[in-house]
Structures are given as C-alpha cells and as structure tokens.
Amino acid sequence: MATSRRRSAAAGRRAGAAPMLEKCPTGIQGLDEITEGGLPRGRPTLVCGAAGSGKTLLGMEFLVRGARDFGEPGVFMSFEETDEELVANVASLGFDVRGLIRRGKMALDWVRIERSEIQETGEYDLEGLFVRIDAMVGRIGARRIVLDSLEALFSGLPNEAILRAELRRLFRWLKDKGLTAVITAEQGHSALTRHGLEEYVSDCVIFLDHRIFNQVSTRRLRVVKYRGSKHGTNEYPTLIDENGLSVLPISSLGLDYPVGTERISTGVARLDAMFGGEGYYRGSTVLISGTAGTGKTSLAAAFAESTCRAGGKAMYMSFEESSAQIVRNMRSIGIDLDRWQKRGRLKFHTVRPTMYGLEMHLATVHKLVDEFRPDVLVMDPVSNLSSVSRAEEAQAMLVRTVDFLKNMGVTALFTSLTGGGQAPERSDAGISSLMDTWILVRMAESANERNRLLYVLKSRGMAHSKQMREFELSGEGIRLLDVYVGPGEVLTGSARLMQEARDKARATVERRGFERRQRELEQERASLRAQAGAIAKRLADVEAESRSAATQDRDRLQTLASDRRELAQARKAD
Amino acid sequence: MKKKRQPSDSLAKFEKAARKAARKTDETRRYVLKLYVAGVTPRSSAAIKSITEICEAHLKGHYELEIVDIYQQPTLAKGEQIIAAPTLIKKLPLPLRRFIGDLADQERILVGLDLRPRK
C-alpha cells in the first residue's frame, strides 16, 4: 500500500506540477460523471467483464468519441475481431470508423495469433507488437489506444513468463508514451480478470457486468478502483442502444431539487376542489393506486388531457395498453387524447415491461424527457415493472426516476395496481413514501353492485379533503358526485340513491306535517279572530244599549221630576 | 505418430502420404523463409546465425532467406502479423509456420521445417 502510494505520487510529479490527476474525457454518457472527468490521462485503464458485457464497445466508443469530439486520434489493436468485423459491428451505432480512418483520426490493427502455426524456439520478446503499435501511433499522432483483448496472447503464446514480463514492459511503455490506454480483459473466476491483468494495470479498473434476471438482461458498470481520484463507487446501470454505451449515474442525484408553489389542475374540477381548489403541486409526484378497473387510467388520462388543454405537454408511458387502445377507451368517457397527440402536445410511449430491463426503461424515461420536455409524465402502471425484476430493484428504479423527474420539474403521475386481497393502502412497489400526493381509488361493494370511491390518502403541503367521494365515469368524463351530507354512513351507488329517496320522502312527510300544523294554527287564529270580532260587536251593542238605557232612565227621571213639580204646583205645595 | 489429435482415418492416411511425398522431394523443394528481427540485438544475431547455419546445412541451393528489421519496415510487421521478435516464417513449402524465439533449439526448427520426421 505504501509503495503504491509512493508510486502514484511519483507519477503525479511526472505528469507535471498539477496537483490534480489529469483526466481524459471518454465522451461516453455518464461515465465521465462517475469518474469525475474521465479516465486517467496517459495511463492504462483496465476494462474487464464477461463475454458480451460491452468491453469492446466501450473501447471503440472511447476512441471514436475521442477522435470525433475531443480531437484525440486513437489506435485500436484488436486481438479478436478483424478490422472489417469491428467497423461493421459499430456502424450500427452510428460510428463512422471507416471515415475516421480515412481522415487519419483512427487506426485499426487486427493482431492475428494462430497458435497452431507458432512454435517456440528460444528466447523472444514482443517487440513485433511494440513496433506495430508504435508505427500506428506515430502515423496518426494517437493520444489514445485500445488493446482488445490482450488475453488472446495468453492462448497464443506458450511461454507465460516471457509474456508477463513483456506485458509489464508494454504498460510501462504505453505510459511513457503518454497514451491513455484502455485494456480489455475477460472476467476471471476468482480474480477480476482471467489472467490477472489487474496486476499490471492498476491505475483505473472498470468492471462491466451483464446479468439476467427473469430472462431480462441488465447491464451494469462499476469503477472498481481509480488511483488518485474520487469516483462513484456504485454499480451503475448501463445500456447499449443506437447511440452507443451510456451509464446512468442517476442514483447520485441528491435531494436538492427546486420546488415551487405553482399548482396544476388534476383534470377533474371537483378533484381540484379536494386539493384546496387548485390541484396538485407542479413538479410533484402523484400516485394513484387501486384495484383493477377502478379508473386509475381514466384519472391519469384526464390529467394528461387537461395539461394539454392548458397548453402544456404531456407524456404518457403505458406498460399495459397500446396508445390506440388508450385513445379509444378514453374517448368513451369524453376524453379526447387524439387531438393533442396530433398537435404534438401529447406523446405516447407504449412498451411492455418485459421488453427490456429496468435500466433500459429508466434510460428511456431520461431520453424521452430530455427530448420531449413534458410538463407532465404519466407512467401507467408502475406496479408491473416488478415483473421484470425484483421488487426492490423496481423500487430503486422508481426512486431514481422520481429524483430525475423532480430535478427536471416534471409533474409525474404514477398508477399502481393493488392486487386483490392486498390491503388497499399497500402499493406494490412500496413507492408511496416517494410520492407527494396519494390518491386511492377503490370499489365499494354494496347491494349487489360495485361503485367507485376515491379519497386522498395524503397530499404533502396542502390542506386536502378527507372525504371519501364516489365518482362516475360517464360520456362527459369523470364526475365526482355530491358529498352526501345527510345523517348516517357514506353510501354509494343505488344504496345512496335509495337513501337519498328515503331522505327525500321523509323530508316530504315532515314538510307536509309542518304545513298541516301551520294550517291548523291559521284556522284557529282565524276562528279566534272571528270570536273576538263577535265579542267586540256584543260589547259595542251592550255599550250602545247601556247608553240608550241611561238616556231613557235620565229622561224618565226628568219626566218624573217635572211631573212631580207640576203635581206640586197643582197641589200648591211649598 | 501423431501426438495431438486423433483425426479420422482418411485424413490420417492423406497426411501420411503427403509427408512421404514431401520427404521425397525435400532435396529439390524450394524453401522461402523470412526472418523478422527487431534491431541489432544479441538475440537477433543469434537467430540470424542459427537460421543461416540450418539453411546452409540442409537446404543449400534451394532456399530463399530474407531478413527484415521491423524497426526499418514497421508496415511489414503489420502485414505479416508479427508479434514476437525474432520470428521466422516459413512461407513455402506450405503449410505456413512461424517460429518465435532466437532459434536456439535447432532440432525443433528442423522438425518444424519438415527436415526431420516428427517423433
């Protein structure tokens, strides 16, 4: 360990006064990120892995990109494939090796070793190989070189002692020439490489892995060591597509994405109301989980459609249905996706999960989002991604997807199918904790029918409704029904209708009773008023009578008094 | 007779006949040999000396020996698929054979050049 440190320190001094190790960018997507700049410049890097893991491709891409993008010509020494085979193999990746060779940016050499032709007759060295490399490097002024793969020498040359000594000399020589070299080697059983090449090439070792799980292959890349430099130590998913090799260092994304308070409509007016009237947060992640046929896809499509209608762009990744089928089905509930697809605001990406491994799916998400720049991404459903991998890997993939989408500010809606018999709040991939908003849809069975219920299980950072709501899919779209505000429990479907009818009947009965009581009272009041009138009249009569009686009495008294006076006069009383 | 593999009978017969014919014409067959060396090193000199001796002793008059310094003609190293130095290539008679090393083991070379029967 101490010696190796000394050695690297010496190498650092040789490279110049720069305190940092100089890097040589590979141009391979993602690899420069995890190696923090590229391969060690002027040193050999060992790339090991099993057959078919992409070693040759990595080497070839290193050279092609070097020659094309970084102005560093390169030499490819092939010990396995002929020049023509190599050129043809990488032509499918859009690498014009022949053109680069013609312009003197690249040189290929096929080193043919035929063991049956060779006889050893004494001491020798590999000067022939050195001369060939030197001639090509000198001819095009190469800065990079790939040796693919030196192990052919082990099977071609019988004397391993000489070979090992020569290899040591070769690597030293490559370093002295300042060539950034990629040495490929087959994976060994107990060691990194079959013939222990890591013994000689110890500055940087990259391991390529190719695993099959459930008949689906997954490629991975790991930087085993990188002397004198920091590097990502994880196994990174890798894929080979029409653009060559790409490494996806997305698990390195941190939790420091920007957030906003802007909202985006859910596509269902009354659902917006459940989220404080405005819908989801823009850039958040939404999970809609539920059992089969509960309307997850419809809710997702409504969201995508409303985003397009509002002038945004939506991307719909379907793992179950073809785009034509989704368009047809959604048309039946009044959601016209075709219109937006034609206008280029909506893009479908439909593929079976088993089509390729999780990494490829992840990479596809990356690529599509980078190209299309959607405001909204729908993945429908994420639950069956676990069919191509173990559940925890599917979850890890989703974590990376979520991190990526959040960094891109894309509002993501995932649907997840809950199996029958599972607790409805248990989402398959265990991804609920990643989600900002979780809507649960389920079927409520009652009175021999099934009705759709929807509720918001959580929605981070907003006051949301805690009401269970029944919803209907009709020709006019998705309709959340009125909140049942009567007494008793929440009823759905016809049971709710019956309850409502019962409530209505009861209300009618009560209203009639009230009206009757009102009428009775009115009648009583009228009769009392009538009675009061009669009494008042009698009173008036009595008063009038009493007044007339009094007058009569007074008159009679006066008459009586005048009579008496007249009598007295007549009787001459005094 | 053959150590390495057990080919089918007809092939074995053919090879035997071919070898017999080859031995018969040894004296008159033309040998084309090329020796590739890397510069003037003791190893190169040893190889040159050894092959010259063999040719003079066994192939006198019906051989061509060309000595190539790959430092001088690096393109030839590529064309002839030279890896090791020194390398002796027997171009004729067929089959083509390569001998790598300083040719110190003369016995092996004689066998390889079909000048001695294989043991």
Side-chain angles (χ1 to χ4, degrees):
Chain A
M1 198 59 211
T3 50
S4 72
R5 256 204 304 278
R6 263 203 301 282
R7 222 178 327 157
S8 76
R13 274 197 300 281
R14 252 203 322 281
M20 288 287 288
L21 187 75
E22 205 190 331
K23 305 271 176 99
C24 175
T26 61
I28 296 171
Q29 197 189 341
L31 185 60
D32 292 343
E33 278 178 61
I34 58 172
T35 54
E36 303 197 349
L39 304 180
R41 182 174 289 284
R43 298 183 187 193
T45 293
L46 181 67
V47 176
C48 49
S53 57
K55 303 185 291 289
T56 304
L57 180 67
L58 191 149
M60 191 49 106
E61 201 171 339
F62 169 68
L63 290 189
V64 169
R65 294 195 185 277
R68 209 176 52 187
D69 308 335
F70 302 105
E72 296 187 7
V75 167
F76 197 103
M77 297 291 286
S78 170
F79 295 82
E80 284 165 353
E81 293 169 284
T82 65
D83 301 8
E84 289 75 28
E85 282 167 349
L86 274 173
V87 169
N89 291 354
V90 297
S92 63
L93 302 167
F95 296 159
D96 180 20
V97 173
R98 223 181 281 284
L100 287 169
I101 293 173
R102 220 175 14 248
R103 281 179 282 138
K105 302 264 190 180
M106 257 185 96
L108 289 188
D109 189 8
W110 172 47
V111 181
R112 181 173 153 274
I113 304 169
E114 190 64 60
R115 176 70 185 254
S116 61
E117 284 180 356
I118 295 176
Q119 283 188 0
E120 270 187 321
T121 61
E123 292 284 305
Y124 60 91
D125 55 36
L126 295 185
E127 203 54 34
L129 188 64
F130 282 62
V131 165
R132 284 165 77 169
I133 296 173
D134 196 38
M136 283 197 298
V137 166
R139 184 158 55 83
I140 62 165
R143 305 284 313 276
R144 303 177 176 207
I145 185 165
V146 173
L147 301 171
D148 177 53
S149 116
L150 281 176
E151 279 160 332
L153 292 173
F154 284 89
S155 56
L157 299 176
N159 191 332
E160 207 176 307
I162 290 181
L163 183 54
R164 288 192 179 276
E166 285 298 287
L167 285 181
R168 200 177 289 281
R169 191 164 72 91
L170 176 67
F171 294 131
R172 169 55 49 202
W173 181 74
L174 291 175
K175 270 192 182 182
D176 289 345
K177 290 194 85 74
L179 288 165
T180 309
V182 168
I183 320 290
T184 68
E186 195 85 0
Q187 181 183 3
H189 287 296
S190 52
L192 271 175
T193 61
R194 190 175 293 166
H195 297 285
L197 284 180
E198 62 269 27
E199 197 183 317
Y200 314 109
V201 189
S202 47
D203 290 301
C204 180
V205 178
I206 292 172
F207 184 70
L208 294 171
D209 188 22
H210 191 198
R211 268 176 253 170
I212 309 287
F213 179 80
N214 275 2
Q215 297 148 36
V216 175
S217 79
T218 304
R219 295 175 189 278
R220 287 184 178 78
L221 178 146
R222 182 164 71 96
V223 178
V224 179
K225 69 186 277 189
Y226 197 144
R227 190 173 281 167
S229 168
K230 280 200 299 171
H231 60 87
T233 50
N234 294 345
E235 276 193 318
Y236 298 97
T238 306
L239 63 98
I240 295 172
D241 63 7
E242 68 274 17
N243 299 324
L245 194 81
S246 37
V247 188
L248 308 168
I250 34 205
S251 49
S252 61
L253 288 180
L255 283 171
D256 51 0
Y257 33 77
V259 294
T261 53
E262 206 187 324
R263 299 286 194 97
I264 183 164
S265 168
T266 64
V268 181
R270 284 183 136 174
L271 189 55
D272 285 348
M274 291 180 76
F275 294 108
E278 294 175 282
Y280 312 124
Y281 276 122
R282 195 174 277 276
S284 68
T285 46
V286 181
L287 174 68
I288 298 181
S289 72
T291 49
T294 44
K296 299 181 294 295
T297 300
S298 305
L299 282 167
F303 180 47
E305 200 267 344
S306 90
T307 303
C308 293
R309 193 147 27 85
K313 288 203 288 185
M315 164 132 256
Y316 198 110
M317 298 185 80
S318 170
F319 299 129
E320 267 177 357
E321 295 177 84
S322 73
S323 60
Q325 191 177 326
I326 294 171
V327 168
R328 181 201 67 190
N329 294 354
M330 290 307 122
R331 195 177 292 134
S332 77
I333 58 164
I335 297 172
D336 185 5
L337 295 173
D338 202 30
R339 183 163 49 130
W340 304 120
Q341 202 179 355
K342 285 201 182 100
R343 289 195 201 169
R345 294 224 198 121
L346 176 70
K347 195 181 168 110
F348 276 102
H349 175 75
T350 52
V351 64
R352 284 266 173 221
T354 45
M355 185 74 184
Y356 30 68
L358 286 175
E359 276 64 39
M360 192 74 181
H361 284 293
L362 186 58
T364 312
V365 172
H366 267 241
K367 218 167 113 181
L368 292 174
V369 168
D370 276 339
E371 281 167 13
F372 189 61
R373 298 272 164 188
D375 298 282
V376 162
L377 178 94
V378 173
M379 283 178 96
D380 178 35
V382 291
S383 40
N384 61 0
L385 284 177
S386 49
S387 64
V388 289
S389 174
R390 290 197 304 275
E392 55 265 41
E393 284 182 15
Q395 188 178 344
M397 178 258 185
L398 279 169
V399 171
R400 293 200 299 258
T401 308
V402 165
D403 281 349
F404 169 68
L405 293 173
K406 287 203 160 183
N407 272 292
M408 299 293 287
V410 177
T411 314
L413 188 147
F414 304 91
T415 71
S416 173
L417 178 72
T418 319
Q422 280 179 359
E425 294 184 4
R426 186 197 165 281
S427 52
D428 279 57
I431 50 170
S432 60
S433 63
L434 291 171
M435 299 295 160
D436 299 312
T437 298
W438 186 3
I439 298 172
L440 228 145
V441 281
R442 68 180 176 99
M443 286 292 189
E445 280 184 43
S446 62
N448 288 336
E449 61 177 30
R450 293 157 66 85
N451 294 293
R452 295 190 172 89
L453 271 185
L454 171 155
Y455 57 99
V456 180
L457 208 75
K458 75 165 181 191
S459 192
R460 287 173 180 156
M462 64 174 88
H464 62 88
S465 161
K466 303 197 174 45
Q467 189 76 37
M468 270 199 190
R469 296 288 292 268
E470 185 183 357
F471 71 103
E472 275 181 355
L473 305 179
S474 68
E476 284 87 57
I478 301 171
R479 196 165 66 90
L480 263 65
L481 303 181
D482 294 339
V483 178
Y484 175 67
V485 291
E489 59 176 330
V490 177
L491 296 170
T492 58
S494 55
R496 180 181 52 83
L497 292 174
M498 280 161 66
Q499 181 63 40
E500 278 173 4
R502 269 198 300 277
D503 288 353
K504 206 167 157 187
R506 197 164 55 225
T508 312
V509 168
E510 279 177 4
R511 196 177 64 244
R512 291 206 180 120
F514 170 73
E515 282 167 6
R516 197 180 60 242
R517 271 197 304 284
Q518 286 290 106
R519 250 191 335 271
E520 282 169 5
L521 287 168
E522 186 62 35
Q523 278 170 4
E524 203 177 331
R525 204 164 61 225
S527 85
L528 284 173
R529 211 178 282 129
Q531 283 175 27
I535 288 170
K537 192 166 175 292
R538 263 180 68 197
L539 180 66
D541 288 351
V542 169
E543 279 173 350
E545 201 175 321
S546 91
R547 269 197 303 275
S548 73
T551 314
Q552 280 174 11
D553 286 350
R554 204 170 46 241
D555 290 351
R556 204 170 54 240
L557 283 174
Q558 278 176 359
T559 311
L560 207 62
S562 69
D563 285 356
R564 196 175 293 141
R565 225 175 15 251
E566 282 173 16
L567 195 62
Q569 270 177 344
R571 285 174 184 177
K572 305 297 192 233
D574 52 6
Chain B
M1 192 141 167
K2 292 264 289 178
K3 283 185 287 185
K4 274 196 230 162
R5 53 205 170 110
Q6 208 60 52
S8 64
D9 276 355
S10 59
L11 184 62
K13 266 184 209 154
F14 172 80
E15 284 190 347
K16 204 173 167 184
R19 268 197 302 277
K20 211 171 160 188
R23 266 201 303 282
K24 226 181 252 174
T25 54
D26 266 353
E27 284 76 43
T28 53
R29 280 173 86 187
R30 205 164 65 92
Y31 271 74
V32 177
L33 303 172
K34 282 196 174 186
L35 177 66
Y36 292 86
V37 293
V40 190
T41 61
R43 203 174 279 158
S44 302
S45 310
I48 294 167
K49 185 164 166 278
S50 176
I51 190 63
T52 316
E53 278 172 17
I54 291 169
C55 288
E56 283 300 309
H58 300 275
L59 301 168
K60 202 169 166 62
H62 58 106
Y63 77 91
E64 285 171 33
L65 173 65
E66 191 184 346
I67 295 163
V68 179
D69 183 355
I70 52 175
Y71 288 153
Q72 307 297 321
Q73 286 166 293
T75 46
L76 284 180
K78 181 176 176 172
E80 289 284 3
Q81 289 291 356
I82 306 299
I83 311 158
T87 296
L88 175 70
I89 300 182
K90 178 182 75 120
K91 305 207 97 178
L92 281 174
L94 291 172
L96 188 130
R97 280 221 176 83
R98 291 161 190 275
F99 303 90
I100 57 173
D102 56 12
L103 308 177
D105 189 347
Q106 291 212 0
E107 205 53 34
R108 261 188 108 159
I109 298 162
L110 289 174
V111 173
L113 292 175
D114 295 320
L115 296 173
R116 285 273 159 81
R118 277 161 205 269
K119 275 172 248 143

